Amino acid sequence: MKNKFLVLPFIAVIVLGIIFLSTQIPAVKMSPKNLPVALVSEDAGEMGDTLLQNLQSQLATMGMDTIKLKVYDSVQSMEEAMKEQEVYGGLVVPENFSAQFASLQTPSPANPTMKIYINQGANTTVSTMLSAALDNIVKQMNSVMSTQLLQSIEQAKVPIQASQVTTLVAPIHAETIYVNAVGDLGTAPTAFFQPLWFASIMGAVLFYLAQMKTTFNSKKQKLQFQVVQSIVAIIYAFFAGYFVTWSTTWILGFAFESFNTVALFSSLACLGFVFLILATVSWLRLPSLIVYVLLMFFGLPLIQLAPEMLPSFYQDYILPWLPMKFLINGLKDILYFGKGVFNGNGVVLSWIAVISFILLWVKQLIEKPSQIEETETIE
């Protein structure tokens, strides 16, 4: 076939189809495993220890590998772990659990309560899933405890009052407590990703083209241009960060507790991305830009899911290297956990900006551009 343009659409469909379907693999193959959940017993009675043993054996019997229990010695230590995003939720046995459980066999029963903690800010998808899973665990425990309780009453030949029936069928009540709540900002971190990432790509490409289209008469002139370009890139990153943050309040109706903190962090992220992309295209030329364009499509599904929900390949080899991950996690730290601009993710973004800036300047210092005419004179 002489006209290649008649064949290209078919090739494009194959290539683009494979690429864009591949971006859906993490979501389609999602299989949450070993989600860390805290377990705390404040009850000093025998029933508290029995309950913990029953709970752990129940998870093992059910073959439930979705949840991985981590025992903490107090609610305070559990809440600290939640603030550091070490666990997604928790089950707490209150200190009066044994006494209340014992009262179920008396004429004045008081239902014991188990507290379910959901670390909503860690991941909204996981929080919804975990809330249902932990509630189901309490229901399963209710069934086991109800059977044991009724058998004990039968053996003791204790008469059951009509008012006790409902209490004995479902002896344990569940109380759900949401910590680090997301409120109306549940989608805020991911809302920042595409505009900031696209602004970074666009800015880096235009800065690169501006340099390539400029004729320099000396290396000194080129370095002067590079200084100006670096300053403009910094100003551009801050403009983009503040503009995108303001736009989310105007278009999406977000209300931030500290607008400047969010805007400064967004600017820092944009600065890191701009220098990263600009350094890459300076060393590897413009075709390398395709990597960052593809990351826009591949990255979004990955950053929305918790690491424990991803296939092991993505969890171990892809997610740790995604630069946009630090943007999303850093915004979570600010919006849901009350941290500042230079949280752990902000520090990583700062290093990305610094290292990329150094690599960019190294390239300019060692390069002998063909467009420079050696007209420098020795004074």
Side-chain angles (χ1 to χ4, degrees):
M1 190 175 290
K2 293 183 179 180
N3 196 333
K4 295 180 180 179
F5 287 99
L6 296 178
V7 180
L8 286 177
F10 294 91
I11 298 174
V13 167
I14 294 172
V15 173
L16 293 177
I18 291 173
I19 289 174
F20 288 108
L21 286 175
S22 298
T23 66
Q24 303 303 315
I25 290 176
V28 174
K29 300 293 184 180
M30 181 179 66
S31 179
K33 288 185 179 180
N34 296 323
L35 294 170
V37 173
L39 188 59
V40 178
S41 178
E42 296 183 310
D43 185 71
E46 182 182 347
M47 197 60 218
D49 293 333
T50 303
L51 189 64
L52 291 185
Q53 292 172 6
N54 287 343
L55 180 58
Q56 290 171 324
S57 62
Q58 181 186 344
L59 289 177
T61 304
M62 294 169 63
M64 185 180 288
D65 59 355
T66 304
I67 293 174
K68 181 181 179 182
L69 294 176
K70 299 178 68 175
V71 179
Y72 290 85
D73 56 5
S74 67
V75 172
Q76 184 179 359
S77 60
M78 179 193 71
E79 289 178 341
E80 285 295 321
M82 287 185 173
K83 191 171 184 180
E84 296 301 320
Q85 302 179 56
E86 295 174 5
V87 291
Y88 292 105
L91 283 170
V92 176
V93 182
E95 59 183 356
N96 58 349
F97 190 91
S98 290
Q100 289 180 331
F101 191 85
S103 74
L104 294 176
Q105 301 184 48
T106 67
S108 302
N111 286 87
T113 301
M114 278 200 73
K115 295 181 180 180
I116 298 174
Y117 282 75
I118 301 296
N119 191 9
Q120 197 175 32
N123 188 281
T124 51
T125 305
V126 171
S127 67
T128 303
M129 181 187 303
L130 201 58
S131 180
L134 294 180
D135 190 58
N136 185 55
I137 288 172
V138 174
K139 287 179 180 177
Q140 293 287 339
M141 291 172 57
N142 250 331
S143 178
V144 174
M145 292 293 184
S146 176
T147 302
Q148 293 177 352
L149 194 59
L150 289 171
Q151 288 175 348
S152 176
I153 291 175
E154 184 181 2
Q155 290 173 0
K157 296 181 180 181
V158 176
I160 299 176
Q161 308 264 342
S163 59
Q164 291 179 272
V165 173
T166 304
T167 301
L168 295 174
V169 170
I172 304 173
H173 286 180
E175 178 187 355
T176 302
I177 301 169
Y178 290 93
V179 295
N180 304 314
V182 300
D184 296 328
L185 299 175
T187 60
T190 51
F192 278 77
F193 165 58
Q194 286 185 324
L196 281 177
W197 189 253
F198 183 76
S200 302
I201 292 175
M202 182 181 67
V205 170
L206 292 177
F207 291 140
Y208 174 77
L209 293 177
Q211 178 180 316
M212 297 302 293
K213 297 295 182 180
T214 303
T215 301
F216 304 103
N217 296 321
S218 67
K219 191 165 185 176
K220 179 181 178 181
Q221 191 180 66
K222 182 175 184 295
L223 292 177
Q224 288 175 339
F225 175 86
Q226 187 65 27
V227 171
V228 173
Q229 185 189 65
S230 298
I231 294 172
V232 173
I234 294 171
I235 295 172
Y236 171 79
F238 276 85
F239 172 80
Y242 270 83
F243 177 77
V244 169
T245 305
W246 172 80
S247 296
T248 62
T249 63
W250 172 50
I251 299 173
L252 302 179
F254 291 153
F256 303 116
E257 186 175 343
S258 175
F259 176 88
N260 277 327
T261 302
V262 177
L264 283 171
F265 183 84
S266 301
S267 303
L268 176 62
C270 188
L271 182 65
F273 297 158
V274 167
F275 279 136
L276 175 63
I277 299 168
L278 185 56
T280 302
V281 296
S282 295
W283 279 92
L284 304 177
R285 300 307 178 193
L286 209 53
S288 62
L289 188 68
I290 189 65
V291 174
Y292 295 101
V293 175
L294 288 175
L295 279 178
M296 187 185 303
F297 300 103
F298 277 94
L300 186 58
L302 290 173
I303 59 180
Q304 289 177 315
L305 299 175
E308 294 84 1
M309 301 174 74
L310 296 172
S312 57
F313 174 78
Y314 286 85
Q315 188 178 148
D316 297 333
Y317 301 107
I318 304 297
L319 187 62
W321 300 100
L322 290 178
M324 65 279 295
K325 176 190 73 170
F326 303 108
L327 165 66
I328 302 300
N329 290 343
L331 286 171
K332 285 182 182 179
D333 285 342
I334 293 169
L335 297 176
Y336 312 143
F337 297 91
K339 297 184 180 180
V341 174
F342 291 100
N343 51 60
N345 295 285
V347 171
V348 173
L349 288 169
S350 301
W351 277 111
I352 289 175
V354 170
I355 293 172
S356 300
F357 181 80
I358 293 172
L359 290 174
L360 181 62
W361 269 89
V362 167
K363 175 64 175 175
Q364 302 307 321
L365 291 172
I366 66 173
E367 188 178 45
K368 294 182 179 179
S370 57
Q371 68 264 38
I372 295 181
E373 298 177 7
E374 297 294 342
T375 57
E376 295 184 68
T377 57
I378 301 176
E379 297 180 2

